[in-house]
Amino acid sequence: MYAVPDQSGKFVVVTGANSGTGKEAARRLAEAGARVVLAVRTPAKGERARAEILAGHPRARLEVRRIDLADLASVAAFADGILADGTPLDLLVNNAGVMAPPARMTTADGFELQFGSNFLGPLALTVRLLPALLAAPAPRVTTMSSGTANFGRVDFDDLQYERRRYHPMLSYAQSKLADLMMARHLAELAADRDWPLRSTAAHPGYTKTNLQTAGASLGRGKPSRLHRLVSTLDFLPKQEVGPGTEPLLYAATSPDAAAGGYYGPGGTFGLVGPSTEARITRRALDRGANARLWDRAEALTGVRALGAER
C-alpha cells in the first residue's frame, strides 16, 4: 500500500469527496495530517462521509463545503470562499466527475454535461484557486483522468455534441482526455511562468465505485444499459476503492511524481495493480492542442490564468 507522506500543516481541497476515490483520498490525506475540505455537490452526503471518516480517525480535520462543478456560479462561490479564508492552498484534487449519462444532458450554463462537469468546471475551479495555490510554498494540482482517454477525441468544432450524435462513452472519453490535456498544459504554464506549482494526473483503472451507477445521471436515474453490461463482465479485473485511489494519491503527494506526469495501475490491462507511470496518449502530448483547448475553456468559462496573454 502506498504510504502518503506527512501532510501536517497542509490545506487540501478534494472534489467529489463524499464517496469512492474522493472519499478515500480525503480520508488518507487527513490521516496523514492535512486539513481537508470535502468539496461536494450535496452537503448532506458530505457530512455523512465526514462522520464516517471521523469514526475511524477522530482527530482528522475535515470540513464540508458545497460545489457543483456543473454550475459555474457555484464554482465561483466556492473558490471565493477558499480565497476569503486567506489560507494558502497546498493541494487541489480534481476528482469529481459524472460518467456516461444515457442521453445528452446539459449543465446550468448550457454545456454538455460531461464536458462541462468533468473538464470545464474543474478548469474554472483550478484557475480561480490559483492565487491561493501560488501562495503555498510547493502547491500541487492533481486531476483525475481515465483509461478511456486513450480512445478519446477532442472535436474542436463540436465540443458540446451539438452537431454529432451524442454517444455516452465517447463523450466521457473526450472529457477525460480533456482532463489529461488540462493537467499537461497546467504543468507547461507553471514551467513557463516559473510557478512552484506541480500539476499531475492519474487514472484509477477499473475501480468499483458508484460512478458507474449514480454517476450516470447525477444520482437521479438508473444507470445506462452499457454500465449494467460492463458490471456483468466478470473476466475484467477489478479492484476495490482503496487500491484504486493509490494512483491519485501518488500523483498528488509523492515527491517522485513528475510535473505533467500521469499515473495509474500497473497490472493487467492497466486496470488493477500498484501505481506506476501510465502511458500518455499522443493526443495529450500535443502541446499546441493542449494550449488551444485551455484557451477555449477559458473563453467558455470566463476565467483567465494569472499572467495569461492572448
Side-chain angles (χ1 to χ4, degrees):
M1 177 178 287
Y2 173 67
V4 176
D6 182 29
Q7 302 293 299
S8 297
K10 293 189 176 182
F11 182 39
V12 174
V13 168
V14 180
T15 67
N18 61 285
S19 65
T21 55
K23 178 182 173 184
E24 177 70 5
R27 180 185 71 80
R28 290 172 66 174
L29 288 164
E31 183 181 358
R35 171 191 164 202
V36 181
V37 172
L38 308 178
V40 300
R41 188 170 57 90
T42 306
K45 293 181 179 180
E47 291 294 350
R48 284 197 292 272
R50 178 177 180 273
E52 290 170 7
I53 295 172
L54 286 173
H57 308 280
R59 296 185 179 179
R61 294 187 297 162
L62 303 162
E63 60 181 293
V64 176
R65 299 196 190 189
R66 184 181 185 277
I67 185 171
D68 183 352
L69 291 165
D71 182 346
L72 292 177
S74 175
V75 172
F78 176 90
D80 287 347
I82 295 293
L83 296 177
D85 287 350
T87 303
L89 180 60
D90 297 282
L91 171 62
L92 169 62
V93 180
N94 288 316
N95 165 81
V98 59
M99 183 178 182
R104 184 181 184 275
M105 301 169 67
T106 56
T107 69
D109 304 284
F111 303 124
E112 188 275 315
L113 181 62
Q114 296 189 92
F115 192 73
S117 297
N118 295 351
F119 169 62
L120 292 177
L123 184 141
L125 176 63
T126 300
V127 172
R128 287 186 177 278
L129 289 178
L130 277 175
L133 286 161
L134 296 180
R140 298 173 76 143
V141 176
T142 297
T143 301
M144 183 71 97
S145 182
S146 164
T148 63
N150 290 333
F151 61 83
R153 305 284 191 280
V154 172
D155 186 341
F156 285 98
D157 294 323
D158 189 21
L159 293 172
Q160 312 295 336
Y161 273 83
E162 294 171 309
R163 303 173 188 169
R164 292 172 288 168
R165 180 181 178 183
Y166 174 78
H167 187 287
M169 284 307 296
L170 293 182
S171 170
Y172 180 71
Q174 175 183 250
S175 73
K176 301 315 284 186
L177 171 59
D179 282 336
L180 182 53
M181 294 168 72
M182 174 180 78
R184 297 278 297 171
H185 188 65
L186 181 57
E188 292 282 342
L189 285 178
D192 290 346
R193 297 171 189 175
D194 199 28
W195 295 343
L197 185 148
R198 190 183 315 189
S199 173
T200 59
H203 77 84
Y206 191 174
T207 296
K208 296 185 286 185
T209 72
N210 70 342
L211 183 64
Q212 295 90 358
T213 54
S217 57
L218 293 182
R220 293 193 291 265
K222 296 180 180 179
S224 68
R225 284 181 292 178
L226 175 61
H227 291 101
R228 294 196 295 270
L229 174 62
V230 170
S231 68
T232 66
L233 298 180
D234 292 335
F235 66 89
L236 288 176
K238 308 174 184 67
Q239 59 188 4
E240 298 298 328
V241 169
T245 307
E246 300 219 332
L248 185 67
L249 288 167
Y250 182 90
T253 66
S254 173
D256 298 323
Y262 184 39
Y263 302 90
T268 307
F269 305 134
L271 298 176
V272 296
S275 300
T276 189
E277 190 171 354
R279 183 184 71 85
I280 299 174
T281 175
R282 60 181 176 80
R283 296 178 185 86
L285 295 173
D286 185 335
R287 293 182 177 181
N290 295 350
R292 181 185 179 191
L293 181 63
W294 183 282
D295 287 346
R296 287 285 295 277
E298 284 192 339
L300 288 168
T301 60
V303 300
R304 189 176 181 186
L306 296 171
E309 297 180 357
R310 297 192 183 279

